Each structure stands twice: as C-alpha cells, then as structure tokens.
Amino acid sequence: MENFPVEILHRIFDNLDSETILLSIRPVCRLFRAVINTYNRYIFNFESVSKSNFHLQCRLIRPENVIALILSNNEHIPDQISLFMSSVRLRQMTRLQSITFIGINELQLNNIVKRINLNSLTSFTLHIEKYDDRRKKTTLNFLSLIMAQSNLQKVELNIRNDRICEISWPVHCRIKHLIINENITFDNLCKILSSASQLHKLIIKQDLPTMIDHRKLTSTFPQITSLTIEQLEVSIDRLESFLMLTPSLIYLKLIGKECVTDGKRWEQFIQINLPHLDTFQFFMDVKKPIGQTREDLQTILDSFRSSFWTKYKKWFIAGELNIKRPHDIQLYTIPICKSTLKYELYSEKIFVYTTSDISPSITENINELNLSLKMQIHDNTIPKQLLLRMNPLFPKVTKLQIEFECKPSLKSTKFFQSLIDVSRLVEVTLEKYSFDKGDEIVLCEIIHFIEQLPNLTSLTIHSMFCKYEMYPFLDNICSIIPRQIKYLQLAISKLDQIKMILDRCQYLSVVKFETTRLKLSAEITHWFTENTIDSTLTRQNGCDIIWIGKRKSPMIVNHKRIKSSDD
C-alpha cells in the first residue's frame, strides 16, 4: 500500500468512519500517519462513541478538515453537545457540508450556529429537545439564514410548528429534499411549498395538516415528484384533496390507518389526478365495525385485482387477518414498506394476496421487530411453517424488542433463527410491565443466547413498574451481561452490581441505571466520581445515565447495607 497514490488512500478513507481512521489506521505506521494528516473529508458522527474516543477525535482532527458533523444529546450519550462545544474551536469549522443536531437545546443551537461557517452547507437536520422562548427570535434568525444558503439541498426539521411557521423562507429556496417530523399547519406547509420551487421530495412523518381549507386550494405544487406520509389518520376525502395539490407525483408512500381500502376508487383517482405515478406503496391498519372472515378479506382484495393493478402498474397487495381479532385487518403493498413491525408469534392469521408469486423479499425493508411473548415457548407452540423455513422470515432486522406478557417460559431458541438473522442483531430490548422472580429463568436463557451474537452492542432490560421485584435476582443478571455490549439499561439495587458489570463489560461506554431511591442515585454519582475520570452523569425520568470516562484501577466499592424494600 505504500506505493498507492495519496488520492487512492483518501478515497478509501471516504468509506470509513473517523474513529476507524484515527484510532485504528493512524497508529499503524508513519506513512499512514502522514497520509491521514493531509486528509480533509472527515465525517464526525458522535451518535455512538465512547467518552475517551470522543476526546481523542476532538483532539486529533483539525476542525477545518471536517465536512460533516453529527451531534446528539440522547439517552445513549448525555450532554454530548456541551462537551463538544468546549472541546473544539467552532470558528475553525469552515468547510461543513452537512450538520445534524439531535436533542439540542436552543441556547446550544444559537451558540454553535453563530460560530461556524454555513456557506458550504448542503444538508441540515435539526431536532430541538428543549425550547426557550427568550431565544426564539435568535433561533428564527439563524434558521432563516440557513434556509437561504445557496447550496442547501436537504433539510429535516423536528421542531415545533410555532418555530417552523416563523422561519423566513427565501423566495427562491433551493431545497430539493424536505423532511418534517412534527405536526405542521396547512398554511405553513403551503407557505414552504410555494417558496421551494425546486423541492422534489417531501416526507411528512406526522399526520396530514388538520386544517385543509378547500377554499385555499387554488394552486398546485407540480415540483413535488416524491411524497411520503406516515402516521396517516385522515379521511379518504381529505387525503384526496391534499394529493390533488401534487399532480406530478412519481413516487407515493402512505403509512397509517383506513385510507386505502377501495382499489377501484384509488384506480380512478390515480388515473385522473396522478397520471405519472410509477411507484405506490402503502401499509394500512383497518378497523372494521363487524368481524371479518376470509371471504370478506378476499372481497376487499378483489378490488385490487384489475389489470390496472396487476398488469399495467404491477402493484401487488396483501391482506392480513388475525383470527382472534377479526375486526382488525392489515392491507399493504408487497414488499412491506415499513421499517418497523409488530409480530405476534402465536397468532393464527389469514393471508390473501393479489399475486401467486410471493417473494421471500416481502419483509426485506423491516429492520426493527417488536416481538410479543405470551406463553410457554417450545417447538410445539411455534407455527410449523416458521420452524421449517430455510431462511429467516425477517432477514434484515438489526433491532429486536421482546415484550413479555403473563408468565412466558423459553424451552427452545430455535424460533429465533427462523424469525431473524441473529448475526445481524445490534440492539436487543427485553421489556415487561413488571419483571419478578418468576421471570429469572427466561431472562437468563435469552441473555445467554444473545451473548453469542457477534454484532450486539446494546442491551436494555426494562421493567416499567415495580422495579424492586427484580432485586432478588439482579446479581445473577449482572453476572451474565454480554461482554461485548457498549450500551446497557438495567435496574440496580446496590453498588456492588456496578463493579460487577464494569468488570465484565470492558467496552461499555454508556449505562442507564433504573433506580427508585434518590439515596442510591447519589451513591451512584459518588461511585463514578471516585472510580472513573471525566464521566458525565445526568438523571432523567428515574434513571441515572452515565457516559463513562476513563476507569481507575482498582475500582472500590463502599460496602454499605442498602435498604432495597422501598419502591
């Protein structure tokens, strides 16, 4: 590799994260160190990083060599943005092309934006967690300045409507891709679309604006060619009124309730109002006033069997009916267009399709699965069709949430391999209304199973209420926590358990301890102050969240008896 031109090595670095470049490649040899010192296209992504590596990256990279910045204040990394502001010379960040702020407060936003150069900005993502009306005017001035940048093409806003509505959008806004995460009024949306003449892709992650005034529908927005609406809960009439504003649509995705149940009506509407539509995806939860049967589901699907759907457009539809809940049906295009899905392992379902060619890729878009466990799990209680599968039903799931109901027990883990490709799992959440002594065995069995997963980095064990019910077997749980994890959420009852966890999990960078007593919370704070250097500690919603700094050796536990019976 020493004979490679520097440009080739820099192109390789473009496909690596900054942590790998700086901490794995840079120390290898003097050649790599010299090449890396001239590299100037770093992407700072601090969404998941250890405290020590965070400091190293801030120290080693010159700010002017960073082209993308992702900062996050969340439960995985508390108060990261404040630490970044004190660690980096913001005025030297002169080449930023992409900025993402997640969970920022308005004071932090204003202090950062006034110091960095925005002239090269092409992408901007903002989620404000804490608002301060005293800083509203300053925030709006900065947001208006950002929207006026000549190179800006992609914007994602997760902010309140009262902030969005007062942004001054330039007359000839050059944004091409807009994502809106919060509710927005119809007037505000029309104001944005009227200014953004080059906007092609619009994603609305909340329901449609509630006030669609038909008297104001005097103009359309033909620049929009791609539209996605999630959490849709409006009438079909209101939805059609809105879609008539976007006659040039090529791509349309709808996720929500009720709106798409009549294939003939949609066929007519699309032919008249959306003549250019090439891709139509939807996932609808439909509640019927009377229980449905296979014949009823077949009748609904028949309206999607015309040549328009099956031959001309080649849009194929699936209908799903849970026998135990016959009032609820699901209608969706194939493959499923959602990324998150709830799956009930034991439910008997009826499926009807408008095509006989059901590809295994029907679930390829699902990367997060919510699995409900309600009873004893062994090979006889799992549907045979699932156990006999050659390939996993959900092959691309990386996040698994298991919700325990009643008193399930686990006699077999075979169904996991039939359900998902376990080697891909990165995050696992185990959740119940209240874990107690009777759940110890099943929890231990699942933890022993996931300990073998090569890519697992995050584990959450969450008891929503009565956390003290877990105290009698917490020592056992702490002693088997998977060693490879970097993030852990768990209830604890005494300081010994912290040392047990940290001794076992050497890669752990963030812990979220669920504690019910303020005295224990204070002792946790003192313990990390005494046994680590530069840890960041916060308390939110009954949890102590620690971004772990450098560990001292040996770690000391003050063996005080702690009363654990109080909730």
Side-chain angles (χ1 to χ4, degrees):
M1 292 184 72
E2 63 187 13
N3 295 322
F4 279 13
V6 171
E7 292 78 12
I8 295 295
L9 291 172
H10 283 184
R11 288 296 297 272
I12 294 173
F13 296 163
D14 287 343
N15 295 279
L16 301 175
D17 60 82
S18 59
E19 193 168 349
T20 299
I21 296 171
L22 289 170
L23 307 183
S24 297
I25 298 176
R26 186 175 181 272
V28 170
C29 63
R30 276 186 278 184
L31 169 66
F32 282 174
R33 182 183 293 255
V35 171
I36 286 172
N37 286 342
T38 63
Y39 181 65
N40 64 354
R41 296 191 293 271
Y42 284 103
I43 296 175
F44 261 1
N45 185 348
F46 291 135
E47 282 191 286
S48 178
V49 62
S50 71
K51 191 75 176 291
S52 58
N53 286 353
F54 173 86
H55 282 301
L56 274 173
Q57 291 182 72
C58 291
R59 181 169 58 84
L60 292 174
I61 295 182
R62 293 200 292 265
E64 61 269 23
N65 290 337
V66 178
I67 63 169
L69 176 63
I70 302 173
L71 293 175
S72 176
N73 279 346
N74 57 29
E75 61 182 17
H76 282 240
I77 303 183
D79 204 28
Q80 178 193 89
I81 296 176
S82 293
L83 184 59
F84 180 81
M85 292 170 62
S86 64
S87 304
V88 174
R89 295 182 178 179
L90 296 173
R91 295 190 187 278
Q92 294 182 7
M93 304 194 83
T94 56
R95 299 177 56 248
L96 281 177
Q97 299 173 17
S98 175
I99 297 175
T100 298
F101 296 138
I102 301 171
I104 198 169
N105 65 51
E106 287 191 272
L107 176 60
Q108 293 170 335
L109 173 66
N110 296 340
N111 284 334
I112 293 177
V113 174
K114 72 181 180 183
R115 287 176 170 83
I116 58 179
N117 190 320
L118 302 172
N119 293 335
S120 302
L121 198 62
T122 61
S123 175
F124 180 69
T125 299
L126 175 63
H127 168 221
I128 297 179
E129 181 68 29
K130 294 181 180 179
Y131 294 86
D132 185 346
D133 286 339
R134 296 172 300 174
R135 309 184 192 283
K136 179 179 178 180
K137 183 177 179 180
T138 306
T139 298
L140 292 171
N141 288 338
F142 281 131
L143 292 181
S144 299
L145 176 64
I146 289 171
M147 300 311 157
Q149 295 303 307
S150 59
N151 296 312
L152 188 64
Q153 296 187 7
K154 180 180 178 181
V155 173
E156 179 171 357
L157 296 176
N158 191 350
I159 60 177
R160 292 191 323 213
N161 180 67
D162 69 325
R163 296 300 193 268
I164 295 178
C165 71
E166 295 190 39
I167 295 174
S168 295
W169 297 84
V171 176
H172 299 294
C173 183
R174 301 196 179 190
I175 296 171
K176 296 180 179 179
H177 183 176
L178 176 63
I179 303 172
I180 299 175
N181 287 273
E182 289 284 345
N183 288 318
I184 183 172
T185 65
F186 181 67
D187 285 342
N188 286 340
L189 184 58
C190 286
K191 173 185 171 184
I192 296 171
L193 298 184
S194 298
S195 300
S197 59
Q198 298 184 37
L199 182 64
H200 301 313
K201 186 173 185 178
L202 175 63
I203 298 175
I204 302 174
K205 292 194 174 183
Q206 294 290 337
D207 198 5
L208 273 178
T210 54
M211 297 300 292
I212 297 180
D213 191 337
H214 295 273
R215 296 168 297 176
K216 297 180 180 180
L217 302 182
T218 57
S219 60
T220 61
F221 306 106
Q223 74 272 29
I224 306 294
T225 58
S226 174
L227 175 64
T228 297
I229 307 173
E230 300 178 6
Q231 300 189 39
L232 192 60
E233 291 191 49
V234 298
S235 67
I236 181 65
D237 293 330
R238 186 188 297 170
L239 176 59
E240 288 179 346
S241 295
F242 183 80
L243 293 178
M244 289 172 68
L245 301 176
T246 56
S248 304
L249 283 184
I250 297 172
Y251 175 92
L252 175 62
K253 179 162 77 172
L254 305 173
I255 299 175
K257 297 180 180 179
E258 310 294 339
C259 292
V260 186
T261 58
D262 187 342
K264 292 181 179 179
R265 176 170 178 170
W266 273 95
E267 177 180 338
Q268 294 174 357
F269 178 82
I270 291 169
Q271 288 177 325
I272 296 171
N273 299 286
L274 304 175
H276 306 291
L277 194 63
D278 180 63
T279 301
F280 182 31
Q281 300 175 332
F282 63 83
F283 191 105
M284 292 289 147
D285 291 298
V286 182
K287 185 172 284 293
K288 292 289 188 178
I290 60 174
Q292 302 291 288
T293 64
R294 177 182 288 273
E295 290 71 27
D296 296 323
L297 190 59
Q298 189 74 54
T299 300
I300 295 173
L301 268 291
D302 284 344
S303 68
F304 294 94
R305 295 184 190 275
S306 69
S307 57
F308 169 83
W309 291 92
T310 60
K311 294 182 180 179
Y312 177 52
K313 294 294 188 180
K314 290 184 169 53
W315 297 335
F316 301 108
I317 317 301
E320 186 177 318
L321 171 65
N322 189 328
I323 294 177
K324 293 183 179 179
R325 293 197 304 273
H327 293 266
D328 301 330
I329 64 174
Q330 291 179 325
L331 300 175
Y332 49 86
T333 47
I334 300 172
I336 295 173
C337 61
K338 293 176 66 174
S339 60
T340 301
L341 191 71
K342 184 167 185 176
Y343 184 79
E344 298 179 42
L345 188 62
Y346 321 97
S347 59
E348 295 182 57
K349 294 185 177 181
I350 295 172
F351 293 91
V352 177
Y353 305 97
T354 60
T355 177
S356 58
D357 183 19
I358 307 301
S359 168
S361 63
I362 187 172
T363 60
E364 65 181 3
N365 295 320
I366 298 169
N367 56 47
E368 187 170 346
L369 190 66
N370 187 327
L371 178 63
S372 176
L373 299 184
K374 298 180 180 180
M375 57 189 291
Q376 190 178 73
I377 305 169
H378 51 74
D379 292 347
N380 293 331
T381 61
I382 300 169
K384 290 183 179 179
Q385 62 213 32
L386 181 61
L387 290 175
L388 294 174
R389 291 185 63 90
M390 297 296 293
N391 299 305
L393 180 58
F394 303 100
K396 296 188 177 180
V397 166
T398 59
K399 298 180 181 180
L400 175 64
Q401 179 174 342
I402 302 177
E403 293 184 358
F404 295 84
E405 299 181 25
C406 304
K407 291 285 184 185
S409 63
L410 189 66
K411 300 298 183 183
S412 172
T413 57
K414 289 182 180 178
F415 79 96
F416 280 121
Q417 286 94 333
S418 301
L419 199 61
I420 56 178
D421 180 354
V422 294
S423 67
R424 287 178 174 263
L425 279 182
V426 174
E427 296 183 18
V428 173
T429 298
L430 310 177
E431 187 173 81
K432 190 181 179 184
Y433 184 85
S434 175
F435 283 117
D436 56 34
K437 182 65 177 175
D439 299 307
E440 179 180 5
I441 294 176
V442 68
L443 277 176
C444 290
E445 287 173 340
I446 291 179
I447 293 171
H448 279 305
F449 174 74
I450 64 175
E451 186 178 12
Q452 308 165 37
L453 307 184
N455 291 309
L456 183 70
T457 61
S458 174
L459 174 62
T460 295
I461 303 175
H462 177 51
S463 186
M464 289 180 278
F465 297 97
C466 304
K467 302 181 193 304
Y468 58 87
E469 296 281 359
M470 292 184 66
Y471 291 175
F473 61 95
L474 268 178
D475 280 358
N476 193 15
I477 296 296
C478 293
S479 69
I480 60 172
I481 295 294
R483 297 179 185 275
Q484 69 271 36
I485 62 169
K486 298 178 180 179
Y487 172 84
L488 173 66
Q489 177 177 339
L490 179 69
I492 65 167
S493 60
K494 55 187 178 182
L495 298 181
D496 279 342
Q497 292 159 357
I498 300 176
K499 186 176 185 303
M500 193 184 307
I501 291 169
L502 265 60
D503 282 343
R504 182 173 175 82
C505 305
Q506 295 298 313
Y507 302 104
L508 197 61
S509 61
V510 178
V511 289
K512 184 175 181 179
F513 291 131
E514 299 176 359
T515 54
T516 57
R517 289 169 290 110
L518 292 178
K519 182 180 178 182
L520 177 58
S521 175
E523 290 172 344
I524 291 172
T525 298
H526 179 73
W527 190 93
F528 275 95
T529 301
E530 291 293 314
N531 289 281
T532 65
I533 301 172
D534 195 36
S535 291
T536 299
L537 297 92
T538 59
R539 182 166 177 82
Q540 298 175 8
N541 303 321
C543 295
D544 293 287
I545 307 171
I546 302 98
W547 191 12
I548 303 171
K550 184 177 179 180
R551 308 181 190 191
K552 295 180 182 178
S553 183
M555 291 183 289
I556 302 169
V557 176
N558 185 4
H559 291 278
K560 291 182 178 180
R561 294 187 63 186
I562 298 175
K563 185 179 179 183
S564 60
S565 59
D566 293 337
D567 187 10

